[in-house]
Amino acid sequence: MKSGKTRHRQTQHALPHPVHPDHASMTRILDESPLLPIHYRIWALSTGGTLLSGVSMFLLGVTLPLIIPIFAMPATSIGLAAAMLMGGTVVGALIGGHLADRLGRKPIMIMDMILLMIATLLTALAPDARILIGAELLVGVGIGMDFPVGSSYLAEFMPQGRRGRMMAASIAVQSIGMLAGAGFALVLLQGAHPGDNTWRWLLAAEALLVLPYLLGRLTLPESARWCMGRGHNAEAARILERIAPRQKAMLAAMAQRLGKKIHHVAKTRPGRHMGFWTLFSPEYRRRTLLVTLPWFFMDVATYGVGLFTTILLGTMRNSENVGIINGVGRGLANALDSGKVDIFLLLGSLLSLWMVPWLGRIHMQMIGFGGMTLGMGLLYVATELAGGTAAHPQLILSGFMVFNLFMTAGPNATTFILPTEMYPTQVRAFSAGFAAAVAKIGATISVFLLPVIQSALGVTVILLLMGTVSLLGLVLTYHFRVQGRGLTLEEHHGPALPQ
């Protein structure tokens, strides 16, 4: 087997437009570095969007039943509040990715945390449903901005052999966020009373989680790959000194030789404008379909089920077995059951740390979609056995657990990773943002229509729809699959890879 260094040099020579040897040496420092304390720090501070997406999704699901009677919210407002959170991520992902490619990763990572601090405080202080819905939109924008920026920043710093595992660990934090949300809910709802301000404290908890990310990111370095892609080679060299301090003199000499030469590694010609249409050029069209369509269908299922897990569990559970009649009590009981099934989100995420690097992104994505389909099938069988009501709580919980396990073990991780690897540095964040935005459009549609479909057609129809979109994710992943396992970010953009 050839060494990583040899393979890297051969791939660089095979590129349609050879890379300057100094740029190749600089990226090699990133790719072949051992994991250092700075890598772990970069990883920890890149997880803001994923953690807060999990927390915000869970807490909104728990607090909505408490807020509805206080603000006298009609069904349309309930769906709108959830849809604004998801819809905001669409706008945020497009804006954040575009700005990060133009202005740098670090400024946008700080900017979105400032926005989230303001937005989360506003949700907790909202005097009426209108302000609450608007604040949830801003929370979604902040989270959406962070997804493509954080993932691109992380991918550009991680060593090649550890990139998949560290990025899978990053999206796994979303599950930790949901469990953290469940923890806040269980603690605060214990002493809650109908009509009190417990829901405000639940939403204020999000602001407490934003603060350490905001402060920690102030001292992060800019992405060295972004600097090279913009011709800021002297800055890139200074950043790389923090990873390879013994090569300081060599890096300074490289930066001097490079001057303002741009590091261009792409399937498109140097000098050709890279932007939105790059995603749909013949060189990248198949990759764009691979990273957008399966993620779209995954989010239709994941957010539709995940955001309303508490509501679905409450609807599907036989009320005679609950023994609690007030709204706060039902919220606490639903939070307990949601916590049980959300543990499998974390278990699946931990499984992805091993399975994604071992089986590869594409295979694990297909396996995950298959498991999600199975989980929805179990839930459908449970409701059919009960004639549309729920008298099989163990089978119901099993269905949710299977769905959550396979979703986080597979597509929840792989759809997050793939966009950062499929595109060049100059459009990486925008491309990841575009993929995330398409996915969140699916999430927005799902969470807005779910209460309406549930009310009009029942739970079984929802389960059939969620099972169908999960199956579509599997089929589309297989159809648009692209080989690229074990490659560096630059090697992904060499000659056309076999399908």
Side-chain angles (χ1 to χ4, degrees), residues 340-354:
K340 292 177 185 177
V341 301
D342 287 346
I343 289 173
F344 283 78
L345 293 172
L346 181 58
L347 292 177
S349 297
L350 294 175
L351 189 62
S352 72
L353 304 184
W354 173 57

Side-chain angles (χ1 to χ4, degrees), residues 435-446:
V438 170
K440 298 313 179 233
I441 289 173
T444 305
I445 294 170
S446 183

Side-chain angles (χ1 to χ4, degrees), residues 165-250:
R165 181 165 285 113
M166 295 299 284
M167 294 198 68
S170 178
I171 195 63
V173 174
Q174 187 177 48
S175 304
I176 295 174
M178 296 192 73
L179 290 174
F184 284 127
L186 292 174
V187 170
L188 292 174
L189 289 174
Q190 291 286 350
H193 302 284
D196 67 11
N197 286 327
T198 300
W199 66 272
R200 294 189 185 276
W201 291 106
L202 282 168
L203 295 178
E206 295 180 54
L208 295 177
L209 297 174
V210 174
L211 186 59
Y213 284 104
L214 174 57
L215 297 177
R217 290 180 175 189
L218 294 174
T219 58
L220 283 177
E222 181 55 86
S223 164
R225 274 188 165 98
W226 181 84
C227 290
M228 289 186 284
R230 303 289 289 189
H232 304 160
N233 297 300
E235 183 180 355
R238 287 192 295 271
I239 294 166
L240 289 172
E241 288 173 13
R242 301 174 67 170
I243 296 174
R246 295 182 179 180
Q247 300 185 48
K248 179 177 180 178
M250 184 185 73

Side-chain angles (χ1 to χ4, degrees), residues 234-305:
E235 183 180 355
R238 287 192 295 271
I239 294 166
L240 289 172
E241 288 173 13
R242 301 174 67 170
I243 296 174
R246 295 182 179 180
Q247 300 185 48
K248 179 177 180 178
M250 184 185 73
L251 286 166
M254 288 180 182
Q256 186 174 13
R257 287 194 297 267
L258 287 168
K260 295 186 179 298
K261 183 177 178 61
I262 291 174
H263 181 223
H264 179 97
V265 181
K267 291 178 176 292
T268 57
R269 293 176 179 272
R272 177 177 166 184
H273 176 71
M274 301 186 74
F276 175 78
W277 293 112
T278 303
L279 279 62
F280 295 94
S281 65
E283 297 90 347
Y284 288 101
R285 187 181 301 126
R286 182 187 184 96
R287 295 173 178 227
T288 299
L289 294 172
L290 170 66
V291 302
T292 53
L293 295 181
W295 198 354
F296 173 88
F297 287 114
M298 188 204 74
D299 272 15
V300 168
T302 299
Y303 281 82
V305 173

Side-chain angles (χ1 to χ4, degrees), residues 46-54 56 84-100 108-109 111-113 115-116 119-120 135-152 171 174 206 217 295 299 303 416 428-441 443-444:
S46 297
T47 60
T50 54
L51 177 77
L52 291 164
S53 68
S56 62
M84 285 298 100
L85 177 61
M86 296 298 102
T89 62
V90 176
V91 178
L94 291 173
I95 293 174
H98 173 70
L99 291 177
I108 309 308
M109 290 174 71
M111 184 189 303
D112 60 46
M113 286 297 120
L115 175 60
L116 278 169
T120 51
E136 288 294 343
L137 173 65
L138 291 179
V139 171
V141 171
I143 291 171
M145 288 178 68
D146 203 69
F147 254 74
V149 185
S151 62
S152 298
I171 195 63
Q174 187 177 48
E206 295 180 54
R217 290 180 175 189
W295 198 354
D299 272 15
Y303 281 82
F416 181 74
R428 179 170 291 119
F430 174 74
S431 303
F434 178 77
V438 170
K440 298 313 179 233
I441 289 173
T444 305

Side-chain angles (χ1 to χ4, degrees), residues 65-83:
L66 305 178
I67 298 170
I68 289 168
I70 296 173
F71 288 159
M73 294 173 68
T76 52
S77 293
I78 299 168
L80 190 60

